[in-house]
Amino acid sequence: MSRIDTVAENRIHKEGDGFDKEEIIDDWQLDMNFHVFSKHTLQTISAQDTLVHLECVEQLTPVDMMNLANGEHDATGHCVWTGAFLLLDALGVLLEECFTEKRILELGCGTGIGGIGLMCAHDKERRPSYVLLTDADPDALQVCQRNCQQHNKLPKNKYGIQELTWGEPLSPETLSASFDTTLATDVLYDIALLPPLFQTAHSALKANGLFVLSHVPRACYSSQHPPVDDLDQYIIDQATRSGFFLHRHIVPNQLPRAFRTEGSLNEPASLSDMQEVGASLFVFRKTPIF
Ligand SMILES: C[S@@+](CC[C@H](N)C(=O)[O-])C[C@H]1O[C@@H](n2cnc3c(N)ncnc32)[C@H](O)[C@@H]1O
């Protein structure tokens, strides 16, 4: 039961016997569970001659923030986040090694911007052979599905969409040890989620596979976790404990800005602003023997 349902029930108790829960919810004419005030719009992101069309919300509402803070619902997957833009900026330097002709698993894909960006960007010869877009939030995956369908040139056999929560077992036939590269952008806002994130990335990868993690330091805290002084080092240590070693570390100042946003989507942070807040892009390699 959501927090708002609980509020509605309290109101029933206060207002006495004349009402039942159904009547009150009908009076309000509101969806009690999700995105009461959000509005999805269609946005366009362009990089050179590539256009990516994305349905998304421009920002989270106070209701979304409240639900996120109290653990009721994570609606972050409906926005496009700075870490995804950092990935788009870095494609020029990462494409050949990490993505071209590779089987890719995206973790926490949200709107699908990362995976769709890979599938649309650059010439056909430099694209992945297959991208599986995954997220824990089925609502975000529906948006992601519609976003994939916006691009009618994407061949249906080149991508898949699947619900996947980090740390949960992967289905052996389809997922385990079958990907060349795993990808996650801007997914670290609860530091307690690092171990299951690395665990899933590790089990999904083939030997020597790569994990591309585009990271923007946010309020990386958790009630279950003590504060961390050096977040980058903490992520690297956690990766090492999870069977990876650091292969490349790219910071925003090393990159050119590679894309533009159109429409009402806010212009994302500049590369120098990303640098200033400590955003960076890690490429980890799966340790051969672990
Ligand atoms: C801040 S959004 C980032 C979305 C997208 N990658 C981007 O950069 O725009 C974080 C995403 O991670 C997903 N997520 C959070 N915790 C997760 C978990 N434990 N397992 C799988 N996905 C999770 C959320 O549902 C959300 O879509």
Side-chain angles (χ1 to χ4, degrees), residues 3-287:
R3 190 185 167 108
I4 299 173
D5 282 331
T6 315
V7 173
E9 281 215 333
N10 288 342
R11 199 177 143 197
I12 295 163
H13 289 305
K14 275 189 196 151
E15 298 196 12
D17 291 333
F19 296 86
D20 66 17
K21 186 180 170 194
E22 301 309 316
E23 283 171 22
I24 288 174
I25 289 174
D26 279 347
D27 274 355
W28 290 353
Q29 294 288 304
L30 292 173
D31 171 357
M32 287 298 139
N33 290 317
F34 178 59
H35 269 302
V36 178
F37 306 107
S38 292
K39 187 164 171 291
H40 288 70
T41 55
L42 193 61
Q43 304 290 338
T44 301
I45 297 158
S46 58
Q48 294 165 358
D49 54 354
T50 306
L51 289 182
V52 179
H53 305 292
L54 285 177
E55 176 190 320
C56 58
V57 298
E58 284 163 44
Q59 56 190 21
L60 296 183
T61 66
V63 175
D64 294 329
M65 296 306 290
M66 188 180 77
N67 284 338
L68 183 64
N70 66 20
E72 288 280 351
H73 182 77
D74 178 349
T76 57
H78 294 249
C79 287
V80 173
W81 294 85
T82 306
F85 289 115
L86 180 58
L87 173 79
L88 294 182
D89 280 327
L91 279 189
V93 296
L94 288 178
L95 206 63
E96 297 293 335
E97 182 180 36
C98 302
F99 301 117
T100 300
E101 283 298 311
K102 308 276 195 237
R103 266 176 65 79
I104 314 294
L105 172 66
E106 179 165 13
L107 302 170
C109 67
T111 59
I113 177 169
I116 296 174
L118 289 179
M119 291 190 280
C120 291
H122 302 273
D123 31 302
K124 275 194 183 130
E125 292 67 39
R126 301 178 72 200
R127 292 180 187 164
S129 59
Y130 180 77
V131 179
L132 182 59
L133 301 119
T134 70
D135 200 286
D137 177 9
D139 296 313
L141 288 178
Q142 282 183 19
V143 176
C144 176
Q145 172 85 56
R146 292 198 288 277
N147 285 336
C148 289
Q149 287 164 351
Q150 294 282 349
H151 302 85
N152 46 20
K153 286 201 201 118
L154 291 186
K156 297 243 171 355
N157 61 348
K158 292 278 185 185
Y159 71 90
I161 296 174
Q162 195 169 311
E163 199 173 320
L164 176 64
T165 301
W166 313 324
E168 292 189 355
L170 302 179
S171 68
E173 347 51 84
T174 52
L175 296 180
S176 198
S178 71
F179 291 91
D180 302 294
T181 303
T182 50
L183 163 70
T185 67
D186 222 325
V187 296
L188 293 182
Y189 40 93
D190 179 348
I191 199 135
L193 290 175
L194 256 183
L197 177 71
F198 276 119
Q199 184 195 326
T200 297
H202 192 271
S203 4
L205 283 171
K206 297 175 184 170
N208 293 316
L210 297 172
F211 179 20
V212 177
L213 179 62
S214 177
H215 159 63
V216 180
R218 304 204 173 272
C220 279
Y221 70 93
S222 163
S223 52
Q224 288 114 48
H225 200 284
V228 168
D229 288 337
D230 183 343
L231 190 56
D232 278 7
Q233 192 54 50
Y234 182 81
I235 293 171
I236 295 166
D237 291 346
Q238 194 64 53
T240 310
R241 274 198 287 279
S242 306
F244 289 96
F245 62 89
L246 184 62
H247 172 64
R248 285 175 86 170
H249 189 194
I250 297 167
V251 294
N253 275 354
Q254 298 169 320
L255 300 170
R257 168 106 317 165
F259 64 87
R260 283 186 305 118
T261 54
E262 291 169 21
S264 56
L265 192 63
N266 290 337
E267 184 66 25
S270 67
L271 285 157
S272 54
D273 285 348
M274 289 189 202
Q275 178 83 25
E276 201 162 308
V277 297
S280 63
L281 214 144
F282 297 101
V283 182
F284 296 106
R285 191 180 282 288
K286 184 169 174 171
T287 315

